[in-house]
Structure formats: structure tokens, C-alpha cells
């Protein structure tokens, strides 16, 4: 049975990073590990990693921020370079916490943040675990139905619980019955924060520089990927409907120190759907035991 973290057992703070407020929750002792959440509507750090924090905290200092634009952090993301914007603020968080280096664990949008931070400043990253990261081969195929559902949440007739439930049950997970209504209710409440609705953190690139943004946010176009020294474990749900599982092979083929683990009967939310497997693989890899 997977132990779920209780918010009361975590130290919470709101830190000033480059003029923005970043919410951070921490627990545990040991080598520092940052858990970076995905970019779906209503996402936040502690909620996305609720099935992992307690287990990882047995061995690590677990640091769980709300990414810019989400949760209790300042809203808004630079749409011209979203991954760079996220990476800059997480690097600023490392500085604020006095950490020269940390392990990074990132799911989807958080995985893209981790990978961009590692590419820009590899000396700041110990080891890295990526789960279905964004920005992999996005210029080489049309968006998936799941990604279209995610990006369309705030467009058209605007956000609704029905739209969010469809995204989560149809596209986010492999087994829709696993997701309790309370998870959808909580995420829906957070997704309709007026500041988020006015300035969604994850949108389709638009405007005169849209093509440049699209190109910049596909890591398979970044030549630095082939030289990235950071030991990396990529976990990808074999039934991921948001980011194509073929992205895992793209990373393994391009990165010199990349292990790839395809997770059967699992969608986009590996750390939640297969928590016990994830916790074991993640803890062992970060410790260099595998």
C-alpha cells in the first residue's frame, strides 16, 4: 500500500524568486530532490506527488514547488520561452535554498522544466528522472488528442468540470476508475482561479514568433542533448495519450547517459498510477543503485 503524504507533515514557505513568489513544501533529510509537477489544469506540486513524497522522504530531502503559474505560486508564464522561464525560476529556487546541485524529478511540463534546466546548467543537476516529459518530438508530429484536450481547456467555452473530467479520465490515466471524484473536484477548483483563467500557464504558441517558440520547445532539435552528461532515467507510460511514448526512444537515442523504462498499462501519470514501482525505481536510480 502506498503511503500518502499529509500536508501537515511538510514545512511550507513562499519564497521570492526573481520578483515572483514560489510556493515550496519540504520534508525529509538527505540529498536534495526537487519534484516538478505536470502542467494540466489545476495541477500543483504536493497533489501531483501525493503518492510519492512520503516514500522518497525516507531517504531524501524532498522539495516540492508549485511551478510558476500554478498552485500558490505567482501566476503567469513567459509564453515565448515557457520551458526556459520555468527553468530559470527553479534554478533561482536552488540558489535561494543554498543548493549548488540537486536531483530533479519531472513529470510532463515539469519534465520539460527539468530537462531545460539541465541543458542550460548541467552542473546544477545530480541525476534526473523524467516521466513523459513535454517537448519531445513536438515538431515531428501533430499534437495528440490528449494534448489538444489539455491545451483547449481554457479556450472555446472556457473551463468546466466536465472538460477537466474528460481530460483526466480519458487522456491522463490508463484506468479511469482509479481516479476518485475528489481529485477532479480539487483540481477543478484550482483551475478556475481567476488569475489562472486570465493568464493560463500552458497555451498554444501564438503571434509573430510562434514558429520560433514551437521550434525552441522541441528538445530533439537541441544539439546540446547529445552532450548532456547528467545520468537520466526516463519513465514513460506505454499507454500515454498526452505525450507519445515514442518520445522515450527519441531521448534514449540522443542522450548519452539515458536509461529508458516503458511502463505497461499506464498513461501519462506514471508516478500516480504506478506509485510503488515509481517510488522504488526513482529512489534506487537517484542513489546510484541502478
Amino acid at each position: 500500500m502506498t503511503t500518502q503524504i499529509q500536508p501537515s507533515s511538510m514545512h511550507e514557505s513562499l519564497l521570492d524568486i526573481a520578483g515572483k513568489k514560489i510556493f515550496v513544501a519540504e520534508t525529509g533529510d538527505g540529498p536534495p530532490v526537487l519534484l516538478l509537477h505536470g502542467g494540466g489544469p489545476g495541477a500543483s506540486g504536493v497533489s501531483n506527488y501525493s503518492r510519492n513524497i512520503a516514500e522518497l522522504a525516507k531517504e531524501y530531502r524532498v522539495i516540492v514547488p508549485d511551478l510558476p503559474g500554478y498552485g500558490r505560486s505567482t501566476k503567469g508564464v513567459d509564453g515565448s520561452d515557457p520551458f526556459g522561464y520555468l527553468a530559470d525560476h527553479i534554478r533561482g529556487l536552488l540558489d535561494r535554498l543554498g543548493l549548488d546541485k540537486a536531483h530533479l524529478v519531472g513529470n510532463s511540463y515539469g519534465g520539460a522544466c527539468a530537462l531545460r534546466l539541465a541543458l542550460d546548467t548541467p552542473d546544477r543537476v545530480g541525476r534526473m528522472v523524467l516521466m513523459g516529459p513535454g517537448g519531445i518530438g513536438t515538431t515531428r508530429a501533430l499534437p495528440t488528442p490528449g494534448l489538444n484536450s489539455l491545451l483547449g481547456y481554457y479556450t472555446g467555452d472556457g473551463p468546466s468540470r466536465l472538460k477537466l473530467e474528460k481530460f483526466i479520465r480519458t487522456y491522463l490515466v490508463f484506468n479511469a476508475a482509479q481516479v476518485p471524484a475528489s481529485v477532479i473536484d480539487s483540481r477543478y477548483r484550482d483551475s478556475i482561479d481567476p488569475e489562472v483563467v486570465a493568464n493560463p500557464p500552458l497555451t498554444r504558441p501564438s503571434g509573430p514568433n510562434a514558429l520560433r517558440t514551437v521550434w525552441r520547445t522541441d528538445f530533439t532539435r537541441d544539439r546540446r542533448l547529445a552532450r548532456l552528461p547528467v545520468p537520466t532515467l526516463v519513465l514513460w507510460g506505454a499507454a500515454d495519450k498526452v505525450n507519445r511514448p515514442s518520445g522515450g526512444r527519441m531521448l534514449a537515442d540522443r542522450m548519452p547517459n539515458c536509461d529508458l523504462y516503458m511502463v505497461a498499462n499506464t498513461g501519462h501519470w506514471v508516478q500516480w498510477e504506478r506509485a510503488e514501482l515509481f517510488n522504488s525505481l526513482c529512489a534506487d536510480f537517484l542513489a546510484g543503485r541502478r
Side-chain angles (χ1 to χ4, degrees):
M1 188 71 178
T2 302
T3 303
Q4 296 206 29
I5 190 70
Q6 298 300 315
S8 60
S9 68
M10 305 191 74
H11 171 72
E12 299 180 349
S13 54
L14 197 62
L15 303 178
D16 188 280
I17 310 295
K20 308 291 184 181
K21 297 296 184 182
I22 301 297
F23 172 81
V24 183
E26 289 191 53
T27 187
D29 293 305
V33 179
L34 267 70
L35 305 184
L36 307 175
H37 65 80
S44 64
V46 172
S47 67
N48 273 209
Y49 289 101
S50 62
R51 296 182 170 185
N52 319 114
I53 294 169
E55 286 300 312
L56 293 177
K58 293 176 181 178
E59 189 172 353
Y60 299 98
R61 175 187 176 187
V62 179
I63 303 164
V64 194
D66 288 344
L67 291 175
Y70 293 87
R72 285 181 261 182
S73 293
T74 297
K75 304 305 181 285
V77 170
D78 179 3
S80 68
D81 184 19
F83 300 160
Y85 182 87
L86 298 180
D88 287 347
H89 282 79
I90 296 304
R91 187 183 304 105
L93 175 60
L94 292 179
D95 294 340
R96 180 72 170 75
L97 295 174
L99 298 173
D100 293 329
K101 180 177 286 193
H103 300 310
L104 300 181
V105 176
N107 175 226
S108 195
Y109 206 32
C113 170
L115 190 50
R116 177 62 182 271
L117 194 158
L119 287 169
D120 290 347
T121 49
D123 59 305
R124 303 299 300 272
V125 184
R127 287 177 167 243
M128 186 162 57
V129 178
L130 307 175
M131 302 87 76
I136 311 301
T138 47
T139 62
R140 303 177 189 275
L142 293 174
T144 64
L147 187 57
N148 281 329
S149 176
L150 192 162
L151 293 173
Y153 182 71
Y154 289 103
T155 62
D157 55 0
S160 71
R161 190 188 184 284
L162 185 63
K163 285 173 77 171
L164 183 58
E165 183 169 22
K166 180 179 180 181
F167 167 68
I168 291 175
R169 295 198 188 280
T170 304
Y171 298 115
L172 187 65
V173 299
F174 177 76
N175 183 359
Q178 281 190 326
V179 184
S182 59
V183 168
I184 297 169
D185 290 338
S186 175
R187 287 189 61 148
Y188 176 62
R189 286 194 300 270
D190 290 342
S191 78
I192 56 173
D193 180 317
E195 287 188 80
V196 177
V197 175
N199 194 2
L202 185 56
T203 59
R204 295 182 192 278
S206 60
N209 296 317
L211 187 59
R212 182 167 180 260
T213 298
V214 168
W215 201 264
R216 176 187 278 174
T217 52
D218 184 351
F219 292 110
T220 68
R221 304 289 183 181
D222 194 325
R223 294 179 180 177
R224 297 177 297 172
L225 204 59
R227 304 189 302 272
L228 185 62
V230 176
T232 301
L233 173 63
V234 173
L235 303 173
W236 216 301
D240 192 332
K241 296 178 183 177
V242 177
N243 292 333
R244 287 184 177 87
S246 57
R249 175 50 58 189
M250 289 183 185
L251 286 176
D253 286 344
R254 288 165 173 80
M255 298 174 69
N257 296 309
C258 178
D259 293 334
L260 172 62
Y261 193 113
M262 299 298 291
V263 188
N265 302 317
T266 305
H268 189 56
W269 222 7
V270 173
Q271 80 279 9
W272 194 88
E273 297 178 75
R274 300 292 299 277
E276 291 185 7
L277 174 66
F278 170 83
N279 293 340
S280 175
L281 290 173
C282 186
D284 285 349
F285 181 80
L286 295 180
R289 294 191 291 265
R290 66 170 69 228

